[in-house]
C-alpha cells in the first residue's frame, strides 16, 4: 500500500485486514484480468446506454456509470426527475438505477442524473441493455 500518508489512514476492521493481506498475495495477473473484465463490462453497458438514448459519462475509476436521462424525452425521463425515473424503472423494464441527486447538497443539481452498476455478470448486463433499449424505444 504505497502512497498512504502516515497517520492519515483509518484502520480497517479485523476481517478486512485479513482480506487485504490475502489480496496482496495474489499475482499481478489476477488484477490485470480483473481490470480487463471490468473494462469490458463498462464498455458493454456504456455503449448500450448510449444506444438506448441516455447521455453517458464513461467512468475511469468506479463500477458505476452516470447517465443523463433528459435525452430520453420528458415522458420517459419523468421531466428529468431522477428519483421518479428510478422508482418507475423496475416496473417498466426490470432494471434498477440509483438517482445521483442523493449525493448532491442541492438535490436539483443532480436531478437528471442516474447511475447504473456494471459489476455484474456479462449476461445480466446484456439483458439490462436490451431492456433499456426497449424502454427507449
Amino acid at each position: 500500500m504505497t502512497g498512504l500518508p502516515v497517520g492519515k489512514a483509518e484502520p480497517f476492521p479485523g476481517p478486512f485486514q485479513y482480506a487485504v493481506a490475502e489480496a496482496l498475495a495474489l499475482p499481478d495477473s489476477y488484477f490485470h484480468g480483473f481490470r480487463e473484465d471490468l473494462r469490458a463490462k463498462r464498455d458493454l453497458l456504456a455503449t448500450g446506454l448510449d444506444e438506448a438514448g441516455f447521455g453517458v459519462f464513461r467512468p475511469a475509476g468506479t463500477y458505476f456509470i452516470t447517465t443523463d436521462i433528459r435525452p430520453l424525452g420528458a415522458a420517459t425521463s419523468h421531466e428529468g426527475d431522477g428519483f421518479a425515473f428510478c422508482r418507475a424503472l423496475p416496473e417498466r423494464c426490470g432494471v434498477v438505477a440509483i438517482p445521483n441527486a442523493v449525493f448532491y447538497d442541492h438535490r436539483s443539481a443532480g436531478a437528471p442524473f442516474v447511475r447504473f452498476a456494471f459489476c455484474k455478470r456479462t449476461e445480466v448486463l446484456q439483458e439490462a441493455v436490451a431492456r433499456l433499449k426497449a424502454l427507449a424505444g
Side-chain angles (χ1 to χ4, degrees):
M1 295 177 48
T2 62
L4 289 175
V6 175
K8 298 290 183 184
E10 294 292 323
F12 287 166
F16 292 124
Q17 292 177 16
Y18 292 110
V20 169
E22 288 294 320
L24 290 173
L26 292 171
D28 287 347
S29 61
Y30 170 81
F31 296 102
H32 292 295
F34 186 71
R35 181 180 62 225
E36 292 309 313
D37 180 58
L38 282 177
R39 182 176 290 146
K41 290 174 178 178
R42 178 203 61 195
D43 292 346
L44 169 74
L45 185 57
T47 299
L49 289 166
D50 183 57
E51 291 172 355
F54 290 82
V56 176
F57 301 93
R58 194 175 292 259
T62 179
Y63 52 80
F64 290 102
I65 295 177
T66 294
T67 64
D68 184 343
I69 59 174
R70 293 173 292 189
L72 298 173
T76 302
S77 74
H78 293 265
E79 301 288 335
D81 180 345
F83 279 97
F85 178 83
C86 289
R87 278 192 297 272
L89 197 58
E91 186 175 322
R92 291 173 76 187
C93 68
V95 176
V96 177
I98 302 162
N100 279 26
V102 299
F103 303 109
Y104 284 73
D105 287 333
H106 303 287
R107 180 176 163 172
S108 62
F113 305 110
V114 304
R115 66 189 199 161
F116 296 87
F118 57 86
C119 53
K120 311 283 181 191
R121 292 186 327 273
T122 300
E123 53 274 8
V124 170
L125 295 172
Q126 291 168 332
E127 179 65 23
V129 164
R131 291 178 182 200
L132 290 164
K133 285 181 182 179
L135 170 74

